Amino acid sequence: MTDHIFMGGGGDAYGAPQVLLLDKANRHGLVAGATGTGKTVTLQIMAEGFSAAGVPVFLSDVKGDLSGLAVAGSADFKLHEPFMKRAGTIGLDLQYDSFPVTFWDLFGQQGHPIRATVAEMGPLLLSRLMELTDVQEGVLNVAFRVADEEGLPLLDLKDLRALLVWVGQNAKDLSLRYGNVALSSIGAIQRQLLVLENQGGDALFGEPALELADMMRKRDGRGEINILAADQLMGSPRLYATFLLWLLSELFEELPEVGNPDKPKLVFFFDEAHLLFDDAPKALVDKVEQVARLIRSKGVGVYFVTQNPGDIPDDVLGQLGNRVQHALRAFTAKDRKELKTAAETYRDNPSFDTATAIQEVGTGEAVTSFLDPKGIPKIVERTLIRPPSSQLGPIDGPTRNAIMQASDMAGKYDQTVDRDSAFEMLRKRADAAAKAAEEAEAAEALLEEKEREFKAARRYEGGRTSSRRSGGSSGSGFGGALASVVAKELKGTTGRRLVRGILGSLFKGR
């Protein structure tokens, strides 16, 4: 079993091998470069290398090109000859091969459905997803606290909607406990939930929720490559970024500490990483930095893929030890400044100027720097990236469907399970309260009817003697007065209090 991934040849003649050490792979990494410079192929060969070493991989297929990992390359491929020539240049004996792949899709069309519950997502990420203000995020936090206290599971969006309605109905009491709960904020959250549903976000939330163990499988000694179909998902970039961050956070929270393993337990590629940080609040950036800093001790390597290193905040960028920098273009003053900044993040190589090399490298070339056995970044090298062993480009629909049907994930997540949760529990309580209110109203009507009968009986006794009327007043007259008071109270404040007490208890029981 090899202890590294061969990335390509480096140096002037591309002969010196450039390798990513497996025991340093959980120190994270960066793959950057302008569109069309070869980032996708770099992702492909890194996924191949990790899988061959028995390391599961998760990556998102933004352009639909990475599905070719499931099929071996072929001599019939039009780039076969250039690939063989490149392999000869860097001293690689290229053997075509396929790799174990599982396809996932939030929308369940190009892969197995993948879901999370609203409770797992949490108020911070949901607020980011819906672009809520600080005040609205505070109200959402109150709603989640109430759900915990009342034992109301939040599984899908209709659960959250029902809970927000209850919070609005009880806003006055909740404001005394948690601070102001404005109805306008609840209305704004409900509107954003509607926008999220229209973007297809409701497909993300529900059960059965993803089990992380299903992302960390091996097959015949090779790590499973989990490919998220993201071409349609990219139409909702905030949903895409929030989902990936949720998955990363779940890994961070659930996996045990393993220290410094010989190889990662999982490698996570975050493509189009700039979407995560665009207009992100500081609290979210701080969370990403915390995850990046600590998750490596749990055996997870995170590799951010973006066009420009400047898309990544400095505190996060400083955590990325293994780097592959494809070409950057410098057409404007801003571009030149970003190019200079990117070059300054590498250890200088006396053989060439790093900034110039970043501009000059062609498609399939890169400047690279990987960690050495001591964990120190090596000097930057111009590297000819190795060709992939699997098919370059997407597979066809029938092949994808056949792979999905043969997968051991087939059928596990296909059908949505809608068990009793906040929506159903609140509806049952509302039904019970409505029934109690109807019974109270019927009792009130019965008392009114008895009062009318009593009054009618008194009018019938009008012809009796005065002594008997007097005796009747001291007995039946008192009872009639009491009945009158009870009926009046049921019609008035006491009656309303009774009904309100029933509705108040509507959400206090479980």
Side-chain angles (χ1 to χ4, degrees):
M1 180 67 69
T2 181
D3 63 351
H4 65 268
I5 298 173
F6 176 66
M7 295 296 300
D12 294 337
Y14 301 113
Q18 297 299 303
V19 299
L20 171 57
L21 299 177
L22 287 173
D23 64 350
K24 299 297 182 293
N26 65 332
R27 303 291 183 91
H28 310 321
L30 172 73
V31 180
T35 301
T37 56
K39 296 193 302 295
T40 300
V41 174
T42 297
L43 256 69
Q44 187 166 343
I45 65 167
M46 292 179 78
E48 291 178 357
F50 283 120
S51 177
V55 178
V57 173
F58 177 89
L59 53 84
S60 51
D61 193 2
V62 173
K63 295 182 290 186
D65 292 342
L66 291 170
S67 59
L69 280 159
V71 178
S74 169
D76 297 332
F77 183 54
K78 64 180 180 180
L79 292 180
H80 170 69
E81 292 300 327
F83 276 1
M84 298 305 292
K85 181 178 179 180
R86 181 188 300 186
T89 301
I90 59 178
L92 171 68
D93 179 18
L94 180 61
Q95 301 291 326
Y96 290 122
D97 199 0
S98 61
F99 295 85
V101 166
T102 299
F103 294 110
W104 302 91
D105 184 1
L106 260 64
F107 305 107
Q109 298 173 359
Q110 301 182 70
H112 306 293
I114 186 169
R115 303 181 193 89
T117 65
V118 170
E120 287 173 335
M121 186 68 69
L124 176 62
L125 290 182
L126 277 174
S127 298
R128 162 69 169 166
L129 181 58
M130 295 189 287
E131 301 182 72
L132 300 184
T133 65
D134 291 343
V135 173
Q136 293 160 2
E137 181 181 343
V139 172
L140 191 61
N141 272 282
V142 170
F144 271 77
R145 172 63 67 85
V146 168
D148 289 340
E149 293 178 350
E150 296 290 332
L152 299 171
L154 296 177
L155 304 181
D156 51 30
L157 291 187
K158 72 177 186 299
D159 289 332
L160 184 55
R161 281 193 175 281
L163 178 65
L164 288 169
V165 169
W166 184 88
V167 169
Q169 292 170 340
N170 296 269
K172 184 176 181 180
D173 292 338
L174 293 173
S175 294
L176 294 175
R177 295 167 59 188
Y178 302 112
N180 186 39
V181 178
L183 294 180
S184 59
S185 294
I186 294 176
I189 297 172
Q190 293 280 36
R191 288 192 297 272
Q192 289 302 105
L193 283 173
L194 180 61
V195 172
L196 180 59
E197 288 178 353
N198 291 338
Q199 293 178 345
D202 55 336
L204 169 60
F205 298 102
E207 289 187 318
L210 176 68
E211 297 179 19
L212 291 182
D214 290 336
M215 290 282 183
M216 305 179 69
R217 294 168 295 124
K218 296 181 182 180
R219 199 190 311 176
D220 298 327
R222 292 186 167 194
E224 194 77 15
I225 300 177
N226 300 277
I227 300 179
L228 176 69
D231 47 351
Q232 181 181 351
L233 184 58
M234 287 303 295
S236 305
R238 196 172 290 266
L239 177 60
Y240 165 80
T242 304
F243 166 74
L244 291 188
L245 182 55
W246 164 78
L247 185 55
L248 192 59
S249 299
E250 287 292 293
L251 291 167
F252 172 68
E253 291 172 5
E254 292 193 18
L255 293 180
E257 296 278 343
V258 295
N260 293 309
D262 293 336
K263 59 184 179 182
K265 301 297 183 183
L266 176 75
V267 171
F268 188 100
F269 289 94
F270 206 129
D271 201 0
E272 299 293 341
H274 66 280
L275 296 175
L276 175 60
F277 301 105
D278 287 349
D279 302 319
K282 186 177 186 302
L284 187 61
V285 176
D286 289 345
K287 183 177 179 64
V288 176
E289 180 193 354
Q290 178 192 33
V291 170
R293 185 173 63 252
L294 300 178
I295 201 172
R296 72 184 187 188
S297 65
K298 300 193 174 188
V300 177
V302 183
Y303 288 73
F304 292 93
V305 185
T306 189
Q307 293 195 15
N308 195 305
D311 298 332
I312 310 296
D314 289 343
D315 290 338
V316 178
L317 191 62
Q319 306 293 324
L320 312 182
N322 300 292
R323 301 191 182 190
V324 179
Q325 176 68 65
H326 290 276
L328 286 178
R329 311 306 179 198
F331 299 116
T332 67
K334 181 182 178 182
D335 292 340
R336 289 191 290 272
K337 182 178 179 181
E338 291 177 342
L339 173 63
K340 181 180 178 181
T341 301
E344 290 174 347
T345 62
Y346 292 93
R347 286 181 59 192
D348 288 336
N349 188 325
S351 301
F352 58 86
D353 178 71
T354 305
T356 302
I358 293 176
Q359 293 184 81
E360 292 179 347
V361 290
T363 301
E365 288 184 278
V367 295
T368 62
S369 175
F370 300 103
L371 297 177
D372 67 14
K374 295 183 179 180
I376 301 172
K378 297 179 181 179
I379 63 172
V380 64
E381 292 282 1
R382 291 188 62 155
T383 304
L384 186 61
I385 301 297
R386 58 151 293 178
S389 298
S390 55
Q391 176 178 302
L392 184 64
I395 59 177
D396 56 39
T399 302
R400 179 188 287 264
N401 291 335
I403 293 172
M404 290 173 55
Q405 291 172 6
S407 171
D408 53 2
M409 292 295 101
K412 182 172 183 177
Y413 296 100
D414 292 350
Q415 298 299 321
T416 303
V417 176
D418 190 13
R419 64 183 175 94
D420 278 0
S421 50
F423 175 80
E424 289 79 13
M425 292 178 177
L426 293 174
R427 184 172 61 183
K428 287 178 182 177
R429 295 182 188 182
D431 290 344
K435 182 178 179 180
E438 289 176 359
E439 292 174 351
E441 186 176 346
E444 179 182 354
L446 180 61
L447 286 173
E448 290 179 345
E449 179 63 26
K450 289 183 177 181
E451 181 185 13
R452 285 195 297 270
E453 291 177 358
F454 180 78
K455 289 180 178 179
R458 290 191 62 190
R459 286 194 299 272
Y460 180 75
E461 292 175 350
R464 297 180 181 181
T465 62
S466 59
S467 60
R468 293 183 65 181
R469 286 197 302 269
S470 176
S473 297
S474 63
S476 300
F478 175 77
L482 179 61
S484 177
V485 169
V486 171
K488 184 175 181 181
E489 281 295 301
L490 281 171
K491 291 179 182 178
T493 304
T494 303
R496 290 195 300 272
R497 188 180 299 118
L498 174 63
V499 175
R500 186 165 60 246
I502 294 170
L503 292 175
S505 67
L506 172 62
F507 303 107
K508 292 179 182 177
R510 295 190 179 179

